[in-house]
Structure formats: structure tokens, C-alpha cells
């Protein structure tokens, strides 16, 4: 049903956007051709636009059942072979990016694995500043730097095209490094709980090699990350539009973007359907693999909670990064971000212009500062909305599961086009487009943690003592699930800002002369070789935002929880009370132990 609604919404895109589909197709075919009424009438007759969107959708669906996805409105070629070929390219690029992401995640977790396998993890404070910087780098910026430096200047690897294994190295690095940094941080958040479980202590006491202990700890934590890994797979396949644009890769994301811009409905619907099927397949495989890795412990309620009290995070680093970010913004606010000086084009940093100038002679510091008010405010609002929505829907996995499987297949670029087509362009259009899909990773994370937390031994014992559903939710499940999901949301904050920046980079967000960060990077990217400061300083501010988000996320901890007995001994007698007297008076009634907090007098 959701897939049908999505495909139908795409089929209505030209009519929802209140534009003439014939004019859009004509411009995509030949931008120089004069749009005369006769020409537009011929295109309408050729494509059958006068029959209406429902008839066109019915024809496309009828042909799809027979293995025919129609012909492209722009090129006239059959759609299905092109989509299959583009999907193969994107899957190959995704595989390379996953290899890079796995290596990056291993490097991020190396210290925790080394200390935890040797029993020296107690009191370790969460770090990850370098990870934050890596995760905050925009994919299109990493791609631009790699293409210009390694591909063009040094000539070590090819930078354009897709003709063999050498051509996939640079785009795989551009996609895999930020994704691996985020996955590594999430895995690093779970590993301390795995090393604190009884099996890890027992294996260490029996002299099991540290490498085996570390390998089993990763195996214990992977099921909680598999659903998010499935989202990364889909995102790397269809959401890598900017990287495919820079490296000129004929992938599915680029094909879908071009089809959406040209309103080529057969190609757009077929590409989106391929992404949805890929998302559904990845989600099903992730859930099945998680069940196989956990085994019968998930069914029997024999798991240990991975989320334990964390050591206090250092407070100096968030204050330091926040102070630096505030200083940069405050120092540039008095400057005019729109003042032009054609005699000062692309000037290097100087006392007059600390961050240099752009191609029009505008002060980059001023534009960064004034753009921060919009970019950061919007990113914070979208992140807060995504956190609340993700938590609420994640607590209802039967409802959120089909939604996440469908929405995870929609790249932010396509979401931006759909939102723009329905609501029109405006200052909040990029925020709505990102918010539509930003909650799904948090909902998936919540559902995954909730599924494992419900199967823990302490929750089974608390339920056996008579605790009800609301008591378990408020006092057991939410305290265990909320902190890691909140930390995940903070880790996603730079990614939210980057998605907004990517929309601006592709021309779907803010329009000139707005100083929004994505548009700022897009405007200065062509001058990266001649004036690298025009790109490096905005990227450095984005990295500073990532460092602030990650170090602040380290301070989100579990509240103090009542210590539970670790052995098979019975709970203390003073913590148990019997059922009310009127229940004992009933014939055949039995004593039911319940938590004292539910029956004590206030």
C-alpha cells in the first residue's frame, strides 16, 4: 500500500507541481528549441498527457506486469534495461563504499576493542573528536577534494567515468568514510556493555585470547546495528547523487535525479520502485540475520542489557567546540554577507577578510556566520522533530516497520523534489524534505534496541514480580532506549545539516544570494583549486559542528538505576509485598508478588 502511494505520488508530480509536463520534457530534450504551441501539442499527443495521470499510471503498471516499464519521455529508449544497468553500477559502488565503511568503523572502535578484550575498559570516557570531524565532512566535498587532488593534480587515480575497478576507488572513499564514521560511533557506544556481560568476564578469566573476545563482542553488538546498516546500504545506493554527479558515474541515484528534473515519469517511477524493492530486501535480510546471530536468547528472554551506566563525559570539549563555533559566528555577524567587491575576488585570508573572499568578492566569514543562523536553526529543529517521531514510531515496530522500509528508499533529493512539487519552493521546503526521511534511522534504532531490551533477564524478572506494561515502559525500557537513541540523534545532527547542504549543492534548497552553507559550498566548489580557502573554511565549520555534536552526545547517559542481584539469589524480602488483602480473601486466590513501588502508601 505504501509503495503504491509513493509510486502514485511520483506519477502525479508534474500535475502537483503545477507545471506543463510537455514544456519540461521539451527543455530536457532540447533546451534551445522554441516552445511553440504546435511543438507542445505534438509532445502531449506523443506522450498521451491529455489522458490524465491516472491513465498514464495504469498503462505503466500494466506494462510492468509484462516486464515492460515503458520508454523514456526524453530519450525514447526502453526504461527497464537502463534502470537495471544503473542499479548494477550503484550496487557495485555500494559494495566498495561498504568495504571502506567497514575499515573506517574498525579504526574507530579499535581502541575500545583493544581495551575491552583485555579487561581495561573500566572508566574509559567516550571520545571521538576525529570521528566527528570525519563524519561531518560532506560527501560531495570529500568527492571534490579527492577528484581534484588525487585524480587531477597528482594523477594517481582516474576521476571521471566508470570503466573499471580503478574508477570506483575515489567515489567509494567519498561515500564510505563518513558512513563508516557514523557506524563506528554507534558500535563503539554498544561495545562497553558487551564487554561487561558475564560471558566476557568468564572467557577472560579462562585465558581466552583477546582477539576471540573482541570478535565475540562485535558479534554480540552487530544485531543492534544491522537495521541501520540496511538503511546505509540503501542510502549509499540511491542517495549518492552528488558523488555520482561529480565523478560522472551512471548510477541509479543520478538516473533518478535526472528523471525527476526532466519529469520523465517512466524512468522516475521505475528507478524509485527499484530503490523500494532494494530497501525492503535489505530490511528483511537485516532482521533475519539479527535473529540468526542472537539465536534462541531473543525468544527465551536470556539476553543481558547492553546499555549500562556510562562514565561521565568530559565537559571541557563541548564547551571548547561550542565556544569556537559561537566565536566564529559572532565575529562574522557584524559583517555584510551580500556586499560585493569585484576588485577583491578570491583573495586569500587577511586581517580585512579573515576567511578570504569568494568569486564575487564577498566576505566568506560573513556568509558563514549569517548562513549559520539558518542552517543550524533548521538542522536543530529537524533533528528534534526526527528524534520525537523516531522514538514514538519506534515503540510501535509493527506500524513503523513498513514505513521505514519504504521511506528509507527515498533519497533526500527525491524527497525534496516531491515536497517542492506539492508545496512549492520556499524557505522551509528543504527542511520538510529532510524531515520526511530523517526520523526513519532513529525509529529503526529504537525498534532494534527495544526488541533486545524486552528479551533481557532483568526485564523478565521484573515482569514476573507483577510489573505492568506502563511500569516496564517508564522505568525499564525508556531509560535503556532513550539515551542511546538521543546520542544517535546528536550524531545525526551534522548529517541533517549535510542533507540540507546537499539540497543546496544540487540547486534544490536555498537560492542565491542566500548564505546557506550548502549553497556556499556549491558556489565555491568550482574554485577549490585556485582558492581552497573558499571551500576549506566552510568545511571546517561543518567539522566543528560535528565535533560539538559528538562530544555533547557523550554526555547523554543512563540515569542511576537500582542495583539488581547478579546471582541466582532471591530478591530481598523488603522489596516484595503481597497482593491486596481482598485478593487473598478470595477462594482459590494465590499470592502474587509485585514491586513495592506500586503498593506503598505515598
Amino acid at each position: 500500500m505504501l509503495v503504491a502511494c509513493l509510486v502514485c505520488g511520483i506519477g502525479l508530480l508534474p500535475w502537483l507541481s503545477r507545471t506543463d509536463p510537455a514544456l519540461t520534457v521539451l527543455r530536457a530534450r532540447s533546451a534551445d528549441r522554441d516552445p511553440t504551441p504546435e511543438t507542445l501539442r505534438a509532445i502531449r499527443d506523443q506522450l498521451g498527457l491529455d489522458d490524465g495521470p491516472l491513465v498514464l499510471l495504469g498503462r505503466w503498471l500494466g506494462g510492468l506486469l509484462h516486464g515492460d516499464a515503458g520508454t523514456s519521455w526524453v530519450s525514447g529508449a526502453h526504461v527497464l534495461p537502463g534502470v537495471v544497468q544503473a542499479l548494477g553500477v550503484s550496487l557495485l559502488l555500494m559494495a566498495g563504499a561498504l568495504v571502506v565503511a567497514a575499515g573506517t568503523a574498525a579504526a574507530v572502535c579499535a581502541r575500545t576493542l583493544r581495551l575491552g578484550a583485555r579487561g581495561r575498559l573500566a572508566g574509559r570516557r567516550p571520545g571521538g573528536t576525529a570521528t566527528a570531524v570525519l563524519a561531518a565532512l560532506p560527501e560531495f566535498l570529500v568527492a571534490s577534494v579527492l577528484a581534484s587532488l588525487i585524480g587531477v593534480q597528482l594523477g594517481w587515480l582516474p576521476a571521471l567515468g566508470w570503466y573499471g575497478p580503478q574508477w570506483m576507488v575515489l567515489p567509494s572513499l567519498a561515500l564510505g568514510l563518513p558512513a563508516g564514521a557514523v557506524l563506528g560511533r554507534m558500535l563503539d557506544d554498544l561495545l562497553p556493555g558487551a564487554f561487561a556481560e558475564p560471558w566476557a568476564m568468564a572467557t577472560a578469566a579462562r585465558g581466552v585470547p583477546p582477539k576471540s573476545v573482541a570478535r565475540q563482542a562485535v558479534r554480540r553488538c552487530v544485531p543492534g546495528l544491522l537495521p541501520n546498516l540496511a538503511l546505509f546500504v540503501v542510502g549509499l545506493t540511491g542517495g549518492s547523487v552528488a558523488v555520482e554527479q561529480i565523478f560522472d558515474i551512471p548510477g541509479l541515484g543520478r538516473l533518478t535525479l535526472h528523471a525527476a528534473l526532466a519529469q520523465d515519469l517512466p524512468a522516475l517511477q521505475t528507478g524509485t520502485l527499484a530503490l523500494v524493492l532494494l530497501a525492503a530486501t535489505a530490511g528483511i535480510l537485516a532482521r533475519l540475520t539479527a535473529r540468526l546471530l542472537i539465536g534462541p536468547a531473543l525468544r527465551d528472554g536470556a539476553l543481558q542489557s547492553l546499555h549500562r551506566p556510562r562514565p561521565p563525559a568530559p565537559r571541557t570539549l563541548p564547551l571548547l567546540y561550542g565556544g569556537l563555533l559561537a566565536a566564529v559566528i559572532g565575529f562574522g555577524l557584524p559583517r555584510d554577507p551580500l556586499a560585493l567587491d569585484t576588485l577583491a575576488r578570491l583573495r586569500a585570508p587577511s586581517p580585512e577578510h579573515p576567511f578570504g573572499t569568494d568569486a564575487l568578492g564577498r566576505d566568506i566569514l560573513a556568509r558563514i556566520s549569517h548562513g549559520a543562523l539558518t542552517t543550524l536553526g533548521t538542522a536543530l529543529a529537524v533533528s528534534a522533530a526526527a528524534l520525537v517521531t523516531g522514538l514514538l514510531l519506534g515503540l510501535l515496530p509493527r506500524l513503523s516497520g513498513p514505513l521505514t522500509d519504504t521511506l528509507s528508499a527515498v533519497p533526500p533529493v527525491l524527497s525534496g523534489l516531491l515536497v517542492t512539487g506539492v508545496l512549492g519552493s520556499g524557505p522551509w521546503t528543504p527542511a520538510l524534505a529532510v524531515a520526511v526521511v530523517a526520523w526513519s534511522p532513529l525509529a529503526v534504532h529504537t525498534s532494534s534496541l527495544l526488541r533486545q531490551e524486552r528479551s533481557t533477564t532483568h526485564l523478565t524478572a521484573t515482569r514476573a514480580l507483577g510489573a505492568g506494561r506502563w511500569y516496564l515502559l517508564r522505568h525499564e525500557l525508556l531509560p535503556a532506549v532513550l539515551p542511546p537513541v538521543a546520542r544517535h540523534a546528536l550524531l545525526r545532527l551534522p548529517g541533517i545539516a549535510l542533507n540540507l547542504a546537499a539540497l543546496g549543492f544540487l540547486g534544490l534548497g536555498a537560492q542565491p544570494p542566500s548564505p546557506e552553507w550548502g549553497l556556499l559550498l556549491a558556489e565555491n566548489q568550482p574554485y577549490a583549486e585556485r582558492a581552497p580557502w573558499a571551500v576549506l573554511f566552510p568545511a571546517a565549520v561543518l567539522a566543528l559542528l560535528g565535533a560539538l555534536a559528538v562530544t555533547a552526545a557523550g554526555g547523554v547517559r543512563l540515569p542511576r538505576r537500582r542495583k539488581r542481584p547478579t546471582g541466582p539469589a532471591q530478591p530481598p524480602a523488603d522489596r516484595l509485598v503481597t497482593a491486596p488483602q481482598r485478593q487473598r480473601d478470595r477462594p482459590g486466590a494465590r499470592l502474587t508478588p509485585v514491586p513495592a513501588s506500586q503498593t506503598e502508601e505515598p
Side-chain angles (χ1 to χ4, degrees):
M1 180 62 69
L2 293 174
V3 176
C5 293
L6 177 62
V7 174
C8 291
I10 293 174
L12 295 174
L13 180 60
W15 288 267
L16 292 175
S17 60
R18 295 173 292 277
T19 59
D20 187 359
L23 179 60
T24 306
V25 171
L26 176 63
R27 290 175 177 173
R29 291 178 176 179
S30 177
D32 299 331
R33 191 173 179 181
D34 188 19
T36 61
E38 294 78 10
T39 303
L40 297 179
R41 171 58 61 183
I43 293 178
R44 291 192 187 95
D45 294 339
Q46 177 188 2
L47 303 179
L49 296 177
D50 292 336
D51 296 335
L54 297 180
V55 175
L56 292 176
L57 181 62
R59 292 174 183 170
W60 177 77
L61 291 175
L64 193 64
L65 295 176
H66 297 85
D68 182 13
T71 58
S72 171
W73 288 2
V74 176
S75 65
H78 289 284
V79 170
L80 192 58
V83 171
V84 172
Q85 182 179 2
L87 179 61
V89 171
S90 293
L91 290 177
L92 185 59
L93 177 60
M94 177 266 293
L98 285 180
V99 172
V100 176
T104 306
V108 171
C109 302
R111 179 171 176 266
T112 303
L113 288 172
R114 185 177 64 255
L115 296 177
R118 290 171 171 79
R120 303 174 184 174
L121 202 58
R124 185 191 71 90
R125 292 182 174 183
T129 302
T131 309
V133 174
L134 184 60
L137 290 178
E139 295 172 349
F140 56 84
L141 179 60
V142 177
S144 301
V145 172
L146 292 176
S148 60
L149 180 61
I150 299 179
V152 178
Q153 293 185 0
L154 299 178
W156 291 349
L157 291 169
L160 293 177
W162 187 262
Y163 304 104
Q166 293 181 346
W167 278 263
M168 66 179 296
V169 175
L170 295 182
S172 298
L173 289 172
L175 289 171
L177 289 176
V182 176
L183 286 174
R185 284 296 306 181
M186 295 176 62
L187 179 59
D188 194 67
D189 189 46
L190 295 175
L191 283 173
F195 283 119
E197 290 184 346
W199 68 265
M201 301 178 183
T203 53
R206 296 189 62 179
V208 176
K211 291 184 179 180
S212 299
V213 179
R215 184 168 57 252
Q216 293 301 321
V218 172
R219 184 181 183 275
R220 172 68 178 88
C221 298
V222 162
L225 298 179
L226 281 176
N228 277 280
L229 181 60
L231 296 183
F232 273 100
V233 167
V234 180
L236 292 176
T237 305
S240 56
V241 180
V243 175
E244 292 180 357
Q245 285 280 88
I246 293 172
F247 289 102
D248 195 22
I249 299 174
L252 187 59
R254 186 184 178 196
L255 183 146
T256 306
L257 174 64
H258 289 176
L261 293 176
Q263 294 186 357
D264 188 357
L265 292 188
L268 178 59
Q269 290 169 332
T270 308
T272 305
L273 183 61
L275 287 175
V276 171
L277 294 178
L278 176 64
T281 303
I284 293 173
L285 290 178
R287 287 189 285 269
L288 291 177
T289 306
R291 290 183 178 274
L292 290 176
L293 288 176
I294 295 177
L298 185 66
R299 182 187 67 249
D300 299 337
L303 292 176
Q304 297 287 328
S305 178
L306 289 176
H307 305 286
R308 301 171 182 269
R310 297 160 58 93
R315 299 180 180 179
T316 55
L317 287 179
L319 294 177
L320 175 61
Y321 297 138
L324 287 175
L325 186 60
V328 170
I329 296 174
F331 190 64
L333 284 178
R335 300 169 178 262
D336 187 0
L338 303 178
L340 301 177
D341 186 2
T342 56
L343 299 179
R345 297 175 64 250
L346 299 177
R347 283 191 177 178
S350 63
E352 183 181 0
H353 302 287
F355 286 3
T357 60
D358 62 5
L360 298 178
R362 296 173 295 190
D363 188 83
I364 294 179
L365 175 59
R367 295 183 63 76
I368 290 176
S369 300
H370 286 266
L373 300 179
T374 302
T375 304
L376 294 183
T378 306
L380 286 172
V382 173
S383 298
L387 175 60
V388 174
T389 306
L391 278 173
L392 293 178
L393 292 179
L395 295 176
L396 304 171
R398 293 184 179 178
L399 174 63
S400 62
L403 285 173
T404 54
D405 288 343
T406 303
L407 292 179
S408 63
V410 182
V413 174
L414 181 57
S415 175
L417 290 172
L418 293 175
V419 173
T420 303
V422 175
L423 302 179
S425 60
W428 286 99
T429 299
L432 291 175
V434 175
V436 167
V437 296
W439 61 268
S440 58
L442 302 178
V444 169
H445 196 191
T446 301
S447 299
S448 177
L449 296 179
L450 189 67
R451 186 183 305 111
Q452 295 196 47
E453 197 67 25
R454 282 174 173 170
S455 300
T456 55
T457 53
H458 74 83
L459 196 74
T460 304
T462 307
R463 188 185 295 113
L465 294 176
R469 292 184 177 180
W470 287 109
Y471 180 90
L472 295 174
L473 180 64
R474 292 177 55 190
H475 296 278
E476 301 293 341
L477 296 177
L478 281 181
V481 171
L482 181 57
V485 176
R487 290 193 293 269
H488 185 187
L490 284 174
L491 291 177
R492 291 273 177 180
L493 176 61
I496 298 286
L498 295 183
N499 286 332
L500 296 171
L503 291 176
F505 177 79
L506 295 171
L508 300 176
Q511 300 299 319
S514 171
E516 195 269 336
W517 287 359
L519 185 60
L520 189 63
L521 288 168
E523 293 174 341
N524 296 325
Q525 189 269 336
Y527 308 97
E529 297 182 15
R530 180 180 175 186
W533 56 84
V535 174
L536 291 179
F537 281 113
V541 177
L542 272 173
L544 188 61
L545 172 63
L548 174 61
V550 170
T551 52
V556 180
R557 296 181 292 139
L558 283 170
R560 288 185 176 272
R561 300 176 64 177
R562 173 170 52 88
K563 293 184 178 180
R564 298 183 179 85
T566 57
Q570 295 295 329
D574 57 351
R575 300 301 299 171
L576 297 177
V577 297
T578 59
Q581 181 67 34
R582 62 177 179 272
Q583 184 177 356
R584 295 202 306 261
D585 293 340
R586 295 177 183 174
R590 62 178 180 177
L591 297 181
T592 304
V594 296
S597 58
Q598 293 187 359
T599 58
E600 291 178 350
E601 294 295 333

